[in-house]
């Protein structure tokens, strides 16, 4: 028996479109996860030596990859937000309902979703500020980054907040992608959670060490 086509039963086309947008959301998310890990290793190369970080940055700038890639990453970042925003309640009423449900059903994955949606808002604003600050002041030089952080402690606080938020958001994203798209069944969820937690801890560790390397760098 076919269902009546009301607001509660979207048409086949609408459902197909929603599926396509879900895929696009996942692919932009995977792209950003890959970018952020590469970014963490490139900026984190300062831990090996500032010269290594400078040469990597110079390679990206001289080949034009920073100038072209930077705005492309920015576009990917915005596209991912717009796609994910379809699921986020922006009205207080909707937010209250999600909060009540999360409290009521005591389901860890629902809480993870709440953390992911809330961190997304902060990352959107802070990530945009950061990309603007870096890309409008090329070239990237380790000592210049260090001086900015040392001159204005707010930048250090800014990154100390942004880094954990980003990596927690990525870790939850990784977990949700694996569960939602069937890469991990119910039996694997616990192991997957441990793996994602480990990745988050290692990434936050590298990022915090990187920030302190900048903080203590002398000319
Ligand atoms: C457009 C491409 C990007 C470039 C060229 C870039 C470049 C840089 C550079 C050079 C630093 C060192 C500090 C500084 O100079 O201010 C840095 C640090 C940082 N960036 Fe980015 N960034 C980009 C995108 C992003 C995005 C999308 C995020 C996350 C939303 C992000 C998060 C961070 C964080 C948290 C730090 C602190 C250090 C660390 O965690 O490794 N960046 N970035």
């Amino acid at each position: 028996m076919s269902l009546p086509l009301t607001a509660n039963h979207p048409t086949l086309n609408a459902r197909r479109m929603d599926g396509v947008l879900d895929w696009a959301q996942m692919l932009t998310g995977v792209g950003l996860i890959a970018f952020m890990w590469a970014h963490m290793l490139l900026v984190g190369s300062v831990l090996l030596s500032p010269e290594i970080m400078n040469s990597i940055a110079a390679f990206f700038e001289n080949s034009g990859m920073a100038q072209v890639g930077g705005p492309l990453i920015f576009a990917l970042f915005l596209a991912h937000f717009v796609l994910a925003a379809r699921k986020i309640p922006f009205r207080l009423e909707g937010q209250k309902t999600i909060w009540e449900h999360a409290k009521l059903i005591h389901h860890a994955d629902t809480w993870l979703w709440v953390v992911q949606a809330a961190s997304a808002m902060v990352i959107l604003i802070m990530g945009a500020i950061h990309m603007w600050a870096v890309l409008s002041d090329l070239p990237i030089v380790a000592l210049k980054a260090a001086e900015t952080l040392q001159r204005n402690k707010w930048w250090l606080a800014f990154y100390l907040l942004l880094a954990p938020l980003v990596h927690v958001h990525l870790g939850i994203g990784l977990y949700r992608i694996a569960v939602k798209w069937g890469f991990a069944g119910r039996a694997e969820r616990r192991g997957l959670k441990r793996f994602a937690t480990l990745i988050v801890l290692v990434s936050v560790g590298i990022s915090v060490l990187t920030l302190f390397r900048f903080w203590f760098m002398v000319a």
Side-chain angles (χ1 to χ4, degrees):
M1 190 185 71
S2 61
L3 293 168
L5 297 177
T6 64
N8 293 332
H9 299 106
T11 63
L12 193 61
N13 275 349
R15 269 185 285 156
R16 222 175 257 155
M17 179 52 97
D18 206 39
V20 170
L21 293 178
D22 266 359
W23 266 96
Q25 181 188 332
M26 178 191 71
L27 292 177
T28 51
V30 169
L32 285 170
I33 291 177
F35 167 75
M36 277 317 297
W37 286 344
H39 167 288
M40 176 184 68
L41 295 178
L42 298 184
V43 180
S45 65
V46 73
L47 291 170
L48 299 176
S49 91
E51 288 73 29
I52 295 182
M53 180 184 156
N54 290 344
S55 1
I56 297 177
F59 165 75
F60 281 106
E61 283 153 29
N62 297 339
S63 59
M65 277 161 81
Q67 294 83 341
V68 178
L72 282 181
I73 290 298
F74 194 57
L76 189 68
F77 182 74
L78 288 185
H80 180 70
F81 174 74
V82 171
L83 288 163
R86 292 174 302 135
K87 312 269 177 67
I88 300 178
F90 286 94
R91 288 172 171 268
L92 194 63
E93 211 179 300
Q95 290 165 1
K96 269 190 194 156
T97 311
I98 295 263
W99 188 256
E100 292 306 327
H101 281 191
K103 277 201 302 195
L104 201 69
I105 61 182
H106 289 297
H107 184 233
D109 285 14
T110 308
W111 282 113
L112 287 181
W113 185 86
V114 171
V115 171
Q116 209 187 12
S119 61
M121 300 301 149
V122 187
I123 294 170
L124 176 74
I125 297 167
M126 296 183 84
I129 294 175
H130 163 61
M131 280 186 268
W132 178 262
V134 172
L135 294 172
S136 63
D137 190 25
L138 292 176
I140 294 168
V141 180
L143 193 59
K144 191 169 85 179
E147 277 168 3
T148 309
L149 253 67
Q150 290 173 16
R151 211 177 320 119
N152 187 343
K153 290 179 188 60
W154 285 109
W155 273 121
L156 180 69
F158 178 93
Y159 286 127
L160 281 175
L161 175 63
L162 180 59
L165 279 180
V166 167
H167 291 296
V168 166
H169 187 89
L170 293 191
I172 299 177
L174 189 74
Y175 169 76
R176 290 177 59 85
I177 286 172
V179 170
K180 181 169 174 189
W181 297 93
F183 301 115
R186 211 161 265 282
E188 284 99 21
R189 280 195 198 176
R190 186 189 277 262
L192 180 67
K193 257 187 197 154
R194 285 214 187 113
F195 175 68
T197 308
L198 181 71
I199 291 190
V200 172
L201 291 176
V202 171
S203 307
V204 173
I206 295 179
S207 296
V208 170
L209 284 177
T210 300
L211 288 169
F212 283 107
R213 178 71 187 90
F214 284 129
W215 182 250
F216 291 110
M217 193 181 287
V218 282

